[in-house]
Amino acid sequence: MPGTLYVVATPIGNLEDVTLRALRVLREVSIIAAEDTRRTSRLLQHYSISTPTTSLHAHNERTKTPGLVERLRSGESVALVSDAGTPVVSDPGARLVAAAHAAGLRVEPIPGASAAIAALSASGVSGDAFVFLGFPPARAGARRKWLADLATDSRPLVLYEAPHRIRDTLEDMLAIWGDRTIAIGRELTKVHEQLVVRPISRHLGDLKTERGEYTIVVAPPAEPPYAAAEAPSAETIGAEFDYLTENGALSRRAAIRRLSEKYGLKARAVYSMVEEGRSSGV
């Protein structure tokens, strides 16, 4: 009888945030496929679990998957875990899960901790739906285009960011989205946990320790984004247009469309303001 592939969520920080079912499965399977066996060993040692582990990460998943599928075929059960939280969600493992399904093998989720859900639940941002975005593009131009495409999304957004890019990403958010109020969680469930809700500019001003893992929750933009009395100046439109088109992040047409959506203006009016700003030296 074939084995089962268990997709096991593990704690995102506090080792107590693991389910009894997850601990049982980790004890009972033949092997644990872990993103980082050293990190997983801390959890296993804490709960006196002696199940063998093997590495399965972004750089070896292609080569390791066939062997793990064969072990499942032969009757062994396998637990898939990531460094923290729920596997496959911005973590490796999708190739193994897909291969198991393709082979007709049983795949069983063992739900538990998720940084995205933890931050959203405590952020105060409500909504019947939300969009999980994972990590923004690392390159500046691609990231700015990515943010511009999301500027008018009417759903709450949840994303992750690395410590060495958090400042650049927040600066791009401020320039493209305006000074929205967002929630930022850092080191969730760990000793130095923080979850702060404030405008982007305040986050930037208080960003002194760029360490840890960041989870960001963004509320939908207010509708309409700007009242007629608050219409931006040509200088503001021109500066934002230049920012959006810098390094090929957006084409001229796309930037004008994005600004028209953001400010509730007709595209022709935005174009005229861009030209006016240029003629005045912006």
Side-chain angles (χ1 to χ4, degrees):
M1 181 176 177
T4 298
L5 174 62
Y6 295 97
V7 183
V8 183
T10 55
I12 59 176
N14 192 316
L15 293 182
E16 294 179 1
D17 293 335
V18 64
T19 67
L20 295 175
R21 185 180 176 208
L23 293 176
R24 176 180 61 78
V25 167
L26 292 175
R27 287 192 177 97
E28 292 178 353
V29 294
S30 300
I31 193 166
I32 299 169
E35 183 180 3
D36 185 333
T37 56
R38 293 168 299 180
R39 292 190 63 169
T40 299
S41 69
R42 299 171 198 163
L43 174 67
L44 301 182
Q45 290 170 10
H46 185 81
Y47 287 102
S48 302
I49 297 172
S50 58
T51 306
T53 60
T54 186
S55 65
L56 186 80
H57 49 71
H59 303 294
N60 72 358
E61 187 175 358
R62 180 185 295 273
T63 57
K64 295 289 286 286
T65 289
L68 289 169
V69 170
E70 284 307 309
R71 295 184 73 153
L72 289 163
R73 288 183 191 274
S74 68
E76 296 183 53
S77 288
V78 176
L80 170 67
V81 301
S82 58
D83 285 352
T86 302
V88 183
V89 181
S90 285
D91 277 323
R95 184 181 296 274
L96 174 60
V97 172
H101 281 299
L105 299 166
R106 179 174 175 78
V107 178
E108 191 170 319
I110 310 297
S114 166
I117 299 301
L120 179 64
S121 68
S123 68
V125 176
S126 63
D128 295 330
F130 71 95
V131 181
F132 174 68
L133 299 165
F135 287 88
R139 299 185 63 167
R143 182 174 60 246
R144 291 166 188 163
K145 182 180 185 303
W146 185 81
L147 290 170
D149 288 341
L150 293 165
T152 57
D153 199 303
S154 61
R155 298 161 296 182
L157 309 176
V158 183
L159 58 144
Y160 296 151
E161 189 51 287
H164 61 284
R165 289 196 297 266
I166 184 66
R167 182 172 295 277
D168 289 342
T169 294
L170 290 178
E171 288 175 349
D172 287 343
M173 284 181 176
L174 180 60
I176 295 170
W177 291 352
D179 204 9
R180 283 200 212 174
T181 296
I182 63 174
I184 297 185
R186 185 176 72 86
E187 298 288 83
L188 293 177
T189 80
K190 299 178 184 177
V191 174
H192 301 293
E193 174 185 85
Q194 291 181 330
L195 181 63
V196 181
V197 182
R198 58 176 56 145
I200 297 171
S201 60
R202 287 279 308 281
H203 283 294
L204 279 166
D206 294 338
L207 192 64
K208 297 180 176 65
T209 305
E210 297 172 14
R211 293 201 303 264
E213 300 169 351
Y214 292 86
T215 304
I216 303 172
V217 181
V218 184
E223 292 293 344
Y226 285 84
E230 300 171 336
S233 65
E235 289 77 9
T236 297
I237 288 287
E240 291 197 35
F241 176 83
D242 288 342
Y243 187 92
L244 291 172
T245 55
E246 185 182 57
N247 298 323
L250 286 181
S251 67
R252 287 175 57 87
R253 183 189 297 271
I256 288 172
R257 182 174 66 250
R258 182 61 58 208
L259 290 170
S260 70
E261 292 171 351
K262 177 178 179 179
Y263 291 110
L265 299 170
K266 293 186 179 297
R268 181 176 297 178
V270 172
Y271 177 79
S272 297
M273 295 174 80
V274 168
E275 293 302 308
E276 181 183 340
R278 290 190 182 286
S279 64
S280 64
V282 174

